[in-house]
Amino acid sequence: HLGIWSLFGTTIGLLVRQPPRPADSDQITLEPLNVMSSFSRDLACVQSGLSCTEPTTIALIGTGALGSQICLNAARMGYGQWTLVDPDYLYPHNLARHALLGPHVGYPKAEALANLLNNLYAPDTIATGMVGDARNAGNDLQVNAALESADMILDSSTSVSVARYLARDIKSAAQRCSMFLNPAGTEVAILCEDRARTIPLDSIEMQYYRAIITEPKLAEHLRPDGARIRYGGGCRDVSARLSQHLVCLHAAICTRFLVGASSQKDAIACVYIANPDTFEVNMLQVRLNPPGAVKVGSWEVSFDDGFLQKMLLARTSGLPNETGGIVLGAFDMQRRIIYLVDLLPSPPDSVE
């Protein structure tokens, strides 16, 4: 109408010589465009109340129900540059608690989850998925490089062998954290090193075990609810009964901890205990002690100051008689390590 543009067939062309403005041009209405910025890491940080700094590089080992929801929560907050490592594929029964959806069934969990995270910030890439086993990282150059270069290694695999491998065998300055649900799904344990790794993950793990033995509030911590659901015909095709709302609750707790973990001054071991009826959550923090070790032949005997002081107290209170009692701990036959965790006094009917 203004005569600024002219059609040449189906092509719109700009007229070189501008015609005079029509007298009725003020009758043309203008519609404002509501321009919105695409979703970005900076926008996610601002919306979540986080400061937008250089993203922490995180290698996540295990992208199951808890791990998938932790990293998706964190990604929505603009937190982290992720490498996801998992050998498993998404099965139909996983949909009850996993962050992935129906179209992802049959795909590798790590790759599908990385694709989901990247779609948040497309075309920017915030996640890389790797189908592999962290315990075989020494033979997988890509996985090994991701672990070595990460700022943090987050283990949600619920595998003791993976946790021990990450603590002992990976040559990396990365802070190690482990997050996992108890068998009933009512409690989540968070074990995390400080940035300097003054108390390594395996020592934290052993002191967590001592808390399970000695802390009355953790008396039911490792007791399963007994319910199992068969999802296939194989002998191992059995899954636990666990409600999604509990996984969401604990994933939110873990995400909040994760976002602040890089500034954590001290190593920490804590258990968040949820009441499944009222959703009240209480946190029990385990006191951590500096680790120690001695060599005995080709074996390493590993302990912490808390165990050592308890043993010395038993020794001095028993003198001049025997101390008696039993030492509790764990063996790592592969690495030839004996972990000393706790000790029991001699039975009341014994003669020392």
Side-chain angles (χ1 to χ4, degrees):
H1 183 81
L2 295 175
I4 296 174
W5 297 96
S6 180
L7 280 175
F8 296 90
T10 58
T11 304
I12 298 176
L14 176 66
L15 298 179
V16 175
R17 178 177 293 178
Q18 300 284 337
R21 177 175 174 176
D24 62 347
S25 62
D26 58 348
Q27 300 300 313
I28 300 174
T29 60
L30 297 179
E31 296 290 343
L33 290 176
N34 185 11
V35 180
M36 298 183 185
S37 300
S38 58
F39 194 58
S40 65
R41 190 192 298 274
D42 287 349
L43 180 57
C45 289
V46 170
Q47 288 185 285
S48 302
L50 301 180
S51 58
C52 298
T53 58
E54 189 68 22
T56 301
T57 57
I58 304 169
L60 173 62
I61 311 301
T63 56
L66 185 65
S68 67
Q69 296 192 45
I70 291 172
C71 71
L72 184 57
N73 288 347
R76 289 185 186 278
M77 299 169 68
Y79 184 82
Q81 185 73 29
W82 297 83
T83 299
L84 313 177
V85 181
D86 198 311
D88 290 340
Y89 290 72
L90 188 75
Y91 294 131
H93 75 280
N94 296 141
L95 297 176
R97 295 182 290 268
H98 207 278
L100 293 174
L101 302 174
H104 300 120
V105 169
Y107 286 90
K109 290 179 179 177
E111 292 183 348
L113 188 60
N115 182 64
L116 182 63
L117 266 59
N118 288 331
N119 280 333
L120 286 172
Y121 299 116
D124 295 336
T125 299
I126 66 165
T128 302
M130 299 182 183
V131 184
D133 192 332
R135 290 168 295 188
N136 194 38
N139 298 320
D140 190 325
L141 297 180
Q142 190 179 25
V143 173
N144 194 63
L147 296 177
E148 288 183 349
S149 62
D151 297 321
M152 175 185 290
I153 300 174
L154 175 57
D155 174 27
S156 65
S157 66
T158 67
S159 168
V160 171
S161 59
V162 168
R164 204 65 48 76
Y165 181 84
L166 296 176
R168 287 277 178 166
D169 299 341
I170 294 294
K171 293 179 174 61
S172 172
Q175 179 183 18
R176 273 78 150 170
C177 291
S178 183
M179 300 178 181
F180 52 91
L181 298 171
N182 72 331
T186 55
E187 303 171 12
V188 64
I190 299 176
L191 316 179
C192 195
E193 302 174 342
D194 57 299
R195 287 306 300 264
R197 303 197 67 216
T198 55
I199 306 181
L201 190 60
D202 57 337
S203 178
I204 298 173
E205 176 191 343
M206 295 302 153
Q207 296 184 61
Y208 154 74
Y209 292 152
R210 182 166 64 236
I212 295 175
I213 297 171
T214 59
E215 175 54 58
K217 292 180 180 179
L218 297 180
E220 303 295 317
H221 180 63
L222 294 182
R223 189 185 301 277
D225 67 359
R228 293 291 181 267
I229 299 170
R230 179 164 290 280
Y231 63 84
C235 61
R236 297 186 65 188
D237 294 346
V238 179
S239 180
R241 182 178 67 185
L242 176 57
S243 175
Q244 164 70 351
H245 66 260
L246 284 173
V247 179
C248 282
L249 174 66
H250 294 311
I253 292 171
C254 291
T255 305
R256 180 63 189 89
F257 182 90
L258 174 67
V259 171
S262 59
S263 59
Q264 182 78 30
K265 292 183 179 180
D266 301 314
I268 191 170
C270 58
V271 179
Y272 287 87
I273 305 168
N275 184 319
D277 298 320
T278 65
F279 267 59
E280 179 185 8
V281 179
N282 293 294
M283 191 265 277
L284 186 150
Q285 185 165 343
V286 178
R287 179 181 177 181
L288 295 177
N289 302 283
V294 294
K295 294 290 289 186
V296 180
S298 61
W299 287 79
E300 175 185 322
V301 181
S302 177
F303 50 88
D304 67 273
D305 281 1
F307 171 84
L308 191 61
Q309 293 304 316
K310 190 171 183 178
M311 186 169 66
L312 291 173
L313 179 61
R315 172 67 282 178
T316 54
S317 63
L319 287 172
N321 297 333
E322 298 173 324
T323 300
I326 297 172
V327 174
L328 307 177
F331 288 96
D332 185 334
M333 304 298 288
Q334 178 182 350
R335 297 168 185 81
R336 302 181 74 82
I337 303 171
I338 300 173
Y339 291 98
L340 307 183
V341 175
D342 201 9
L343 55 89
L344 300 177
S346 58
D349 61 345
S350 65
V351 178
E352 298 173 352

